[in-house]
Amino acid sequence: MEGRKPRQSRGGVWYTFTRPFYPLIAEASRKGPPMNLKTSAVLMALTLCSLAAVGARAQSAQLGPAVVTIHADQPVAKVSPTLYGLMTEEINHSYEGGLYAEMVQNSTFHSDWSGVPDWILVEKGNSQAKVGVDKSTGPSQALPYSLRLDVSQASKGNPAGVLNDGFWGMALQADTTYRGSFYAKEDAADAGPVEVSLVGNQSGKVLASAQVSGVGTDWKQYKFTLKTGAIQPSMQNHLAFTVAHTGTLWLQVVTLFPPTYHNRPNGTRIDLMEKLAAMHPAFLRFPGGNFLEGDHIADWYDWKKTIGPLVDRPGHPSPWRYWSTDGFGLLEFLEWCEDLHMQPVLAVYAGYSLMHEHVNPGPDLEPYVQSALDEIEYVTGGTDTKWGAQRAADGHPQPFHLTYVEIGNEDWFDTSGSYDARYEQFCKAIKAKYPDLQLIATTPVSSVRPDVIDEHFYVRATQFFHDAHHYDATNRSGPKIFVGEWATREGTPTPNFGAALGDAAWMTGLERNSDIVVMASYAPLLVNVSPGAMQWDTDLIGYDAMRSYGSPSYYAQVMFAGNLGNERPAAEVQGGGPRFFYSVTEDTARKRLYLKLVNGDSTPQAVEIDLPGATPASTGKLTLLSAPGTQAANTMDNPTAIVPVESKLRNVGSTLHYNAPPYSIQVLQIDLR
Ligand code: AHR
């Protein structure tokens, strides 16, 4: 191609820009301030230069050059240090069958019309047994029921029992210790051991096993460890509980964990936590989303039922059509924050549920307001407070730092109009006790002025291209903005490259306006891609029981959040195609500029970067994410088809010529002297 010399192959593209630039054709179609004389002259010179070199060759498909001028010595706004964070809820098996490392599906034997999902009767040889739910006995008030196994015939070599095949598989690695526990009782004490084993689905081979002896006639917790040997890593495995004696065995709260992130008991999956850590998230918005609200008022996220020992957590239905054991509860969310150095953005239930049910403001709402106050105390209170002491009893004496509390979720759906008064009631009570907390409203209200408003965007890439300037004209004297859920919804189960381009264009607008947009979080974050596990198309990170991968949109976020300054210098663009976007921030302590360029077009975009008055180091760093087309994607079997590639940026001076490849997202890191 005339005018540029690829220095590396695609994927690691590094173009040395040798003129000519592409002719100026797209200026008229670009919105923006009129060109100044200097810029016009530059563009004209570039155009003539280009024309001279390419002669009469048709250039109609190529974009006009863009000139980005950065006044590094003129800061115009602060960049929010909390701009990029995570939003999460129990959807697509985000926790159960996802981040929460529990390997047993339906660990508390929740039953439905089909029986006890995920549990299968085992009858080996001539053994005979029956299995079902026993609603008359359980180990706790929260779980007053259990799985009952009646064994009428069994012997050594002919055991009977139950098996669980996990969340669409159970991933086992070689030479690894798996720790588990269960509550149990039998109709006769010491009738014989319970054998716990991990078994390969295809081979039928026992890959690890343990015996638990001495099960008595009262409910008690038993622990076991299972250690694999030199096995082939696979997720085609299941967990079996068998006995070689007759009688009745009751089971409840069956758990099995692999090694977890930071070795936390009841902890999280290492591969997923590492992927999230790479996103440099400043905050975590939890526990939803619709998961906060429930379909009905009775299904609200009652956080008090999600803390303490697992046996004291009753679980509840997720509006995303599956049961949540709440094994991953409030304290686990907070520890997740701690592990990734994120601040919690705590959403409290505000009296609206999805089937258009609301709690009337006033006395009816008071218990929910009190619950929110208690929840804030659980998160932030000293051990001398009631709920702070409870948190300490649950294993975390140190309080968590909290700045933001969100009142409800998407209350614009409440057509009764009750949100204004509901918000006011929460706001007055919370501010009276915690005046420093910043409160987030989920839709505008007039009763009181919220500190922050949460806005959500689920759109196509073209909409984000058109709306990348959404906040440019937002009134700076109003509440701050939290873009609490946003995504380009193209591609399933995870976004394709076209979506990543839409996302990146949108993020340039968020960065440019991060004086007012204080936080933003993509949603949904996680999806188990196994058949039947997903409820929402287009989710940032995909996984099954064993593997995980980041979508191109994930990598766009890694690049944007990992290269963010603390100030926005004055900058402007002239020229460029209609799908060309940029943002520039400066890390003032390091004297480092991060210039993000997005070329959403199928043709290259020539860019001249002018740094008047600045003396940059002659080399910088380029991080490039690009793909041959908008439908290109990463998948479980091809997880790194599209990943960022770093290379050296050479010939950096007060003017730098760069050619953004077709369909590309890039960060240019430029150090100033
Ligand atoms: O992110 C999926 C859902 O979209 C969230 O639960 C809800 O808040 C929004 O409507």
Side-chain angles (χ1 to χ4, degrees):
M1 282 193 220
E2 200 62 50
R4 58 183 184 166
K5 286 185 190 158
R7 295 273 297 265
Q8 290 175 23
S9 60
R10 232 192 138 275
V13 177
W14 190 100
Y15 292 113
T16 302
F17 206 94
T18 57
R19 290 169 196 254
F21 262 96
Y22 298 100
L24 179 66
I25 52 170
E27 173 62 20
S29 66
R30 188 181 171 78
K31 288 191 213 144
M35 283 186 282
N36 62 32
L37 277 179
K38 180 187 166 233
T39 312
S40 309
V42 169
L43 291 175
M44 187 57 72
L46 294 171
T47 305
L48 291 174
C49 195
S50 169
L51 287 173
V54 298
R57 276 191 300 111
Q59 295 287 308
S60 59
Q62 293 168 340
L63 298 168
V67 176
V68 176
T69 306
I70 303 167
H71 305 277
D73 55 346
Q74 293 173 29
V76 289
K78 294 275 176 226
V79 172
S80 169
T82 55
L83 181 60
Y84 293 114
L86 308 179
M87 186 273 165
T88 168
E89 64 178 318
E90 185 58 275
I91 183 174
N92 303 322
H93 289 269
S94 287
Y95 313 139
E96 305 202 6
L99 189 74
Y100 182 38
E102 173 61 79
M103 295 165 72
V104 177
Q105 180 150 212
N106 195 11
S107 57
T108 56
F109 304 112
H110 182 71
S111 58
D112 60 19
W113 62 270
S114 67
V116 188
D118 311 301
W119 289 93
I120 309 283
L121 178 66
V122 175
E123 291 171 306
K124 292 230 169 151
N126 64 1
S127 69
Q128 286 177 18
K130 277 192 315 191
V131 70
V133 163
D134 187 341
K135 294 204 168 148
S136 70
T137 183
S140 64
Q141 264 190 345
L143 297 169
Y145 60 93
S146 53
L147 188 87
R148 176 182 171 135
L149 177 74
D150 289 303
V151 182
S152 52
Q153 189 167 307
S155 58
K156 203 157 184 265
N158 299 297
V162 284
L163 71 82
N164 183 285
D165 50 20
F167 292 94
W168 301 276
M170 276 194 184
L172 296 183
Q173 304 290 340
D175 302 315
T176 303
T177 300
Y178 298 82
R179 295 178 200 286
S181 63
F182 59 88
Y183 283 78
K185 69 172 190 173
E186 291 208 45
D187 56 350
D190 272 336
V194 176
E195 177 101 11
V196 189
S197 41
L198 283 164
V199 183
N201 292 349
Q202 303 303 331
S203 64
K205 272 193 189 149
V206 173
L207 305 173
S209 70
Q211 285 201 343
V212 176
S213 300
V215 174
T217 53
D218 291 325
W219 282 107
K220 195 179 147 204
Q221 189 185 30
Y222 299 88
K223 296 194 173 168
F224 58 89
T225 56
L226 297 169
K227 181 143 184 355
T228 54
I231 61 165
Q232 201 53 35
S234 159
M235 58 183 234
Q236 306 300 327
N237 307 294
H238 62 265
L239 176 69
F241 292 82
T242 55
V243 293
H245 57 270
T246 58
T248 302
L249 171 71
W250 289 266
L251 289 171
Q252 188 47 288
V253 200
V254 178
T255 76
L256 183 67
F257 282 86
T260 58
Y261 195 73
H262 288 181
N263 285 322
R264 283 198 191 271
N266 202 42
T268 48
R269 244 173 86 162
I270 295 170
D271 60 334
L272 292 176
M273 285 294 267
E274 285 174 347
K275 285 197 171 57
L276 298 178
M279 292 174 72
H280 304 278
F283 67 88
L284 176 73
R285 173 180 176 234
F286 66 88
N290 293 161
F291 187 58
L292 173 74
E293 308 165 84
D295 272 348
H296 303 283
I297 292 171
D299 304 333
W300 70 292
Y301 187 82
D302 190 352
W303 66 273
K304 289 178 186 167
K305 296 179 178 164
T306 75
I307 56 172
L310 296 183
V311 74
D312 294 328
R313 305 186 193 186
H316 78 289
S318 155
W320 297 105
R321 305 283 163 264
Y322 57 93
W323 187 255
S324 170
T325 66
D326 295 326
F328 199 78
L330 177 60
L331 188 57
E332 285 76 22
F333 281 114
L334 294 166
E335 288 174 341
W336 176 9
C337 290
E338 187 167 80
D339 283 347
L340 297 191
H341 311 292
M342 308 179 283
Q343 58 170 286
V345 173
L346 180 69
V348 297
Y349 179 72
Y352 177 74
S353 295
L354 292 163
M355 294 295 134
H356 294 285
E357 296 173 11
H358 77 272
V359 181
N360 282 324
D364 291 355
L365 194 62
E366 223 21 66
Y368 300 96
V369 174
Q370 188 56 50
S371 168
L373 292 172
D374 293 346
E375 189 171 8
I376 294 166
E377 188 173 284
Y378 185 88
V379 176
T380 64
T383 50
D384 53 343
T385 63
K386 178 180 172 194
W387 289 104
Q390 181 62 53
R391 185 194 62 243
D394 293 342
H396 203 288
Q398 202 58 31
F400 296 89
H401 182 71
L402 185 68
T403 302
Y404 293 103
V405 173
E406 179 155 8
I407 314 298
N409 178 59
E410 294 190 341
D411 287 84
W412 65 78
F413 281 115
D414 176 11
T415 46
S416 76
S418 71
Y419 185 62
D420 221 305
R422 287 190 287 112
Y423 180 84
E424 184 184 18
Q425 196 171 332
F426 274 89
C427 178
K428 285 192 171 152
I430 294 173
K431 289 273 185 184
K433 193 163 176 201
Y434 301 101
D436 293 337
L437 282 179
Q438 296 284 292
L439 300 188
I440 305 170
T442 71
T443 191
V445 287
S446 51
S447 47
V448 275
R449 184 187 188 275
D451 299 305
V452 183
I453 302 269
D454 181 1
E455 300 187 347
H456 296 176
F457 300 82
Y458 290 109
V459 301
R460 299 286 188 204
T462 45
Q463 286 165 276
F464 270 154
F465 290 157
H466 287 126
D467 209 19
H469 295 269
H470 187 90
Y471 290 110
D472 288 3
T474 300
N475 180 353
R476 267 39 191 179
S477 61
K480 301 281 189 199
I481 308 289
F482 173 25
V483 186
E485 294 179 29
W486 67 268
T488 307
R489 295 193 71 199
E490 289 181 31
T492 186
T494 50
N496 57 31
F497 197 72
L501 289 167
D503 290 349
W506 176 244
M507 285 191 284
T508 62
L510 298 180
E511 290 194 359
R512 207 173 35 252
N513 291 287
S514 67
D515 56 320
I516 181 101
V517 180
V518 287
M519 296 183 289
S521 41
Y522 185 102
L525 179 66
L526 299 168
V527 62
N528 187 317
V529 301
S530 308
M534 180 180 81
Q535 291 82 44
W536 182 282
D537 291 346
T538 317
D539 309 285
L540 202 63
I541 297 171
Y543 49 85
D544 59 20
M546 178 129 175
R547 302 169 295 170
S548 56
Y549 71 95
S551 62
S553 290
Y554 163 79
Y555 287 111
Q557 299 235 9
V558 168
M559 286 166 62
F560 271 61
N563 296 286
L564 187 66
N566 57 304
E567 262 180 18
R568 180 166 70 82
E572 72 253 355
V573 63
Q574 305 288 346
R579 289 186 215 101
F580 173 66
F581 305 89
Y582 84 103
S583 120
V584 58
T585 61
E586 180 174 353
D587 179 334
T588 51
R590 287 172 150 165
K591 295 189 77 185
R592 175 170 287 172
L593 291 174
Y594 296 109
L595 173 61
K596 285 142 184 171
L597 303 175
V598 181
N599 181 14
D601 211 288
S602 58
T603 53
Q605 173 65 65
V607 189
E608 176 180 311
I609 299 144
D610 286 335
L611 298 158
T615 320
S618 61
T619 56
K621 189 168 94 178
L622 170 67
T623 310
L624 175 69
L625 186 69
S626 64
T630 56
Q631 301 307 297
N634 291 338
T635 62
M636 198 66 87
D637 292 328
N638 195 1
T640 54
I642 303 163
V643 292
V645 177
E646 288 185 4
S647 58
K648 222 172 212 177
L649 197 58
R650 294 178 203 280
N651 302 327
V652 182
S654 56
T655 295
L656 163 68
H657 295 294
Y658 177 75
N659 204 21
Y663 299 133
S664 64
I665 299 164
Q666 44 260 293
V667 182
L668 282 67
Q669 180 190 301
I670 299 167
D671 288 322
L672 303 175
R673 294 211 176 96

